[in-house]
Every structure is written in structure tokens, then in C-alpha cells.
């Protein structure tokens, strides 16, 4: 893959120059770092491929191999800075979808050099007509972004609380271990019991202490969740319309019972999936490769679908 990385201007490759770095500008065409320094020594110049006027400061490292992808990503970031309306800014979902379609059309035109003048004029008119709205939207988060911020803040609080609880528990555990060691030393020095019996009792006490520590950690984790009033996903209770209160009881009703669907195929019954191989239907079907089998694909499935389509409608009469 490294051998395919090549500067289109000087022909230098990653194989011959391991430190080769390709850079792109607003036009999307790549140049190596050496060519950029040489061609844009004065700070500005023209792209060798499309003759677009470029500035040296606007060059950045290329992230994608396809220059069109790199160009589209750059254009999309630039367009979304101004076309930043949210769904709640529109009276209906259809208007919002039309707005999103307009954005995609603009990005496509600029990426593929389609109606550049008309597209740029459309962008300029939009900026003039929505100048105030653009400034307000830049400092306003959408509902999804607000929910993500709440989740991140809740996760930070839970992590901090867990850390404090773990530190406290570790201190208590260290103190208990010191007491056990001192107790073991005293018993070995002054007790009349054998050393083996004393060590066995000490090991049992250590196991009991370890079990109690595990239970305490589980209780502390549960306490942390209850104190933060959050679900296991980290969603805060009562923080907006997209979250639910755990104390609200759901309406009672009959339990859902699954019923397998029945289809009228107007034809003979199709052989069962298990009987396809025993009846010889797979003799003329290409066997699944190792890669197919690894992905859970069996030749029984397409053969069964083909038989269903073949049998469907054979008894149908107009």
C-alpha cells in the first residue's frame, strides 16, 4: 500500500521516500510537502492540476487516499458551518428533509465541479438572508447534542464517584490487612496452637475478608448509580423529553404472544430447509466456501428461496 502513495507532481513515492507526506488544499488535489514548499514559496500560487489559486497556509495533511473524498470532507465541513439549522427550526419534517437535500446538492456540485458559479451564488444568498440565524445556531446545540452532553457529564460524575469509593475501600482494605498480619504475628508468638493451624485460620480469615470486599464494592457501585439517578446507559432521569422516569409504572395488559406468519403461495408445499440436502436439491448448487461458512452462509438458504419462488403461484387461476 505504501508503494502506491505517490506525489502526482514530482512522482516521489512512499517506497523511495518513507517520510513522504501528501497535502491537500481546497481543490482536493494532492501534493507532497516538498512540492508545496517549493511551489508556494511566496505564500500563494496555482494548483498544478487545476490552476486554482491556492494559499500555502490552507494546505493540510491528506487523510484519505481518494482526493475526491478528501475534497468532499473539507467542503462538507465548510458548508455545515453556515448551513447549521436544526430540525426544530422547521415547521415540518418535509421542510427539514428538503433543507438536508439542498445541502447534499451543494456538496455534490462543489465536489464534482457542477454549476460552480450558480452554487456559490446560492451559498452567498443564503448567508445574506440567514446571517442572524447562522450566528445563533453556531452557539446552540440540538436535542441530540444536548442529550450527548448530559450522558458525558453523567459518566464523568459516576467515574469520579466510583474512583472516590474505590480509594476509600482500598484504604480500609489496607488497614484490615495490617491488622491481620499483626494478629498472625501475635498468635504465632503467644498462642499454644500449632503453626499450621494458625496459618490455616489466617487463610480462612483472608478469604472471608476478600469476599466481604467484593460485596462491599458491589454495594458501593449500586449506591453510586442510585446517587446519580441514572440508568445503566448513563441517561439522567428527568433531564428532557428523550429520557424516562424509572418510577413511572407501565400500563398492564396481556403479554405479547408471537404467531408465526402464514403465507398463501398458491402452489405445492416447498421442501423444508432440512430436507433440501437429503432430496438432492444441492447436487447442482455451488458449495459454500470457507469464507461463506465463516460468515454463517449456507447453500441451503439461496436454494430454499429459489424453490419458494419456483413453487409460488403454480396453482393460481385467473
Amino acid at each position: 500500500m505504501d508503494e502506491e502513495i505517490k506525489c502526482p507532481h514530482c512522482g516521489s513515492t512512499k517506497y523511495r521516500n518513507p517520510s513522504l507526506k501528501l497535502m491537500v488544499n481546497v481543490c482536493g488535489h494532492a501534493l507532497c510537502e516538498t512540492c508545496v514548499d517549493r511551489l508556494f514559496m511566496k505564500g500563494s500560487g496555482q494548483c498544478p492540476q487545476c490552476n486554482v489559486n491556492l494559499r500555502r497556509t490552507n494546505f493540510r495533511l491528506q487523510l484519505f487516499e481518494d482526493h475526491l473524498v478528501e475534497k468532499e470532507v473539507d467542503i462538507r465541513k465548510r458548508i455545515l458551518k453556515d448551513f447549521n439549522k436544526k430540525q426544530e427550526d422547521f415547521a415540518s419534517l418535509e421542510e427539514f428533509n428538503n433543507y438536508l437535500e439542498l445541502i447534499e446538492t451543494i456538496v455534490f456540485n462543489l465536489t464534482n465541479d457542477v454549476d460552480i458559479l450558480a452554487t456559490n451564488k446560492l451559498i452567498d444568498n443564503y448567508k445574506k438572508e440567514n446571517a442572524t440565524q447562522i450566528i445563533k445556531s453556531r452557539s446552540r446545540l440540538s436535542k441530540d447534542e444536548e442529550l450527548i452532553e448530559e450522558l458525558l457529564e453523567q459518566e464523568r460524575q459516576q467515574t469520579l464517584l466510583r474512583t472516590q469509593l474505590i480509594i476509600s475501600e482500598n484504604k480500609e482494605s489496607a488497614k484490615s490487612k495490617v491488622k491481620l498480619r499483626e494478629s498472625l504475628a501475635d498468635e504465632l508468638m503467644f498462642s499454644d496452637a500449632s503453626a499450621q493451624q494458625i496459618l490455616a485460620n489466617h487463610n480462612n480469615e483472608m478469604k472471608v475478608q476478600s469476599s466481604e470486599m467484593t460485596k462491599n464494592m458491589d454495594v458501593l457501585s449500586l449506591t453510586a448509580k442510585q446517587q446519580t439517578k441514572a440508568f445503566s446507559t448513563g441517561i439522567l432521569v428527568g433531564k428532557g423529553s428523550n429520557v424516562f422516569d424509572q418510577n413511572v409504572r407501565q400500563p398492564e395488559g396481556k403479554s405479547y404472544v408471537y404467531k408465526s406468519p402464514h403465507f398463501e403461495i398458491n402452489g405445492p408445499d416447498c421442501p423444508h430447509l432440512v430436507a433440501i440436502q437429503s432430496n438432492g436439491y444441492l447436487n447442482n448448487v455451488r458449495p459454500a466456501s470457507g469464507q461463506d461458512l465463516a460468515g454463517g452462509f449456507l447453500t441451503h438458504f439461496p436454494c430454499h428461496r429459489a424453490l419458494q419462488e419456483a413453487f409460488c403461484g403454480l396453482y393460481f387461476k385467473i
Side-chain angles (χ1 to χ4, degrees):
M1 183 63 68
D2 289 344
E3 295 182 10
E4 298 178 358
I5 300 178
K6 179 180 179 180
C7 175
H9 183 68
C10 66
S12 179
T13 63
K14 189 77 172 179
Y15 178 76
R16 291 183 292 181
N17 182 13
S19 61
L20 178 70
K21 295 180 181 179
L22 294 182
M23 308 185 72
V24 293
N25 209 308
V26 293
C27 65
H29 296 125
L31 288 173
C32 69
E33 196 171 16
T34 303
C35 290
V36 170
D37 293 335
R38 179 167 52 84
L39 296 176
F40 297 87
M41 187 180 301
K42 297 181 179 180
S44 62
Q46 291 183 337
C47 175
Q49 299 186 47
C50 61
N51 296 326
V52 173
N53 293 324
L54 304 175
R55 290 185 177 274
R56 172 69 180 87
T57 55
N58 292 336
F59 275 94
R60 66 190 185 284
L61 290 177
Q62 181 175 340
L63 300 178
F64 304 95
E65 290 187 22
D66 191 344
H67 73 279
L68 284 179
V69 176
E70 190 78 37
K71 183 178 180 181
E72 180 182 346
V73 170
D74 180 66
I75 292 173
R76 188 176 296 276
K77 289 181 180 179
R78 182 160 44 89
I79 293 300
L80 291 179
K81 288 182 180 179
D82 298 321
F83 287 77
N84 52 10
K85 290 184 179 180
K86 314 296 181 183
Q87 183 175 352
E88 51 266 26
D89 295 327
F90 298 88
S92 63
L93 180 60
E94 182 179 1
E95 293 181 3
F96 179 61
N97 289 334
N98 292 335
Y99 175 75
L100 295 179
E101 185 176 354
L102 174 63
I103 294 176
E104 295 301 322
T105 302
I106 292 174
V107 173
F108 176 83
N109 290 346
L110 295 179
T111 303
N112 298 277
D113 298 331
V114 178
D115 297 332
I116 297 296
L117 295 178
T119 304
N120 287 330
K121 185 177 180 180
L122 176 63
I123 296 173
D124 293 337
N125 292 335
Y126 177 86
K127 289 181 180 180
K128 293 178 182 178
E129 295 173 0
N130 301 272
T132 305
Q133 178 70 28
I134 291 172
I135 297 175
K136 290 182 179 180
S137 296
R138 286 179 180 175
S139 59
R140 179 167 56 92
L141 298 177
S142 65
K143 292 182 179 180
D144 292 338
E145 292 170 334
E146 289 178 356
L147 180 59
I148 292 174
E149 288 294 330
E150 291 177 1
L151 295 178
L152 293 176
E153 179 61 27
Q154 182 66 13
E155 185 176 354
R156 285 192 289 266
Q157 293 178 2
Q158 287 187 0
T159 302
L160 178 60
L161 186 55
R162 286 197 198 98
T163 304
Q164 293 175 350
L165 293 175
I166 290 173
I167 293 174
S168 176
E169 185 64 22
N170 289 338
K171 289 181 179 179
E172 294 294 330
S173 175
K175 291 180 181 179
S176 299
K177 290 180 179 179
V178 171
K179 290 181 180 180
L180 283 176
R181 285 196 296 267
E182 293 177 351
S183 175
L184 175 62
D186 292 339
E187 290 184 9
L188 289 174
M189 292 176 63
F190 304 108
S191 177
D192 296 332
S194 64
Q196 294 180 350
Q197 183 63 34
I198 294 174
L199 290 175
N201 294 336
H202 176 74
N203 291 333
N204 292 332
E205 291 180 3
M206 290 289 292
K207 291 180 181 179
V208 172
Q209 183 182 8
S210 177
S211 177
E212 290 179 354
M213 285 180 55
T214 303
K215 292 180 181 179
N216 291 337
M217 290 303 298
D218 294 338
V219 173
L220 291 175
S221 298
L222 180 61
T223 304
K225 289 184 178 180
Q226 291 176 348
Q227 290 179 358
T228 51
K229 296 181 180 181
F231 295 107
S232 59
T233 55
I235 301 179
L236 293 174
V237 177
K239 276 289 186 179
S241 59
N242 291 332
V243 295
F244 304 93
D245 191 347
Q246 57 185 350
N247 298 321
V248 176
R249 297 184 60 186
Q250 298 297 326
E252 297 181 357
K254 294 182 179 180
S255 300
Y256 174 76
V257 179
Y258 173 76
K259 294 181 180 179
S260 101
H262 176 71
F263 301 101
E264 291 290 342
I265 64 173
N266 292 315
D269 292 335
C270 181
H272 196 268
L273 191 64
V274 179
I276 288 180
Q277 185 171 3
S278 60
N279 293 340
Y281 287 102
L282 298 180
N283 293 339
N284 298 316
V285 178
R286 180 182 65 82
S289 63
Q291 186 176 1
D292 297 334
L293 294 175
F297 177 82
L298 299 176
T299 52
H300 298 63
F301 300 143
C303 183
H304 190 244
R305 288 196 295 268
L307 289 173
Q308 287 176 331
E309 294 178 0
F311 290 169
C312 183
L314 291 180
Y315 293 164
F316 181 75
K317 293 182 180 180
I318 299 177

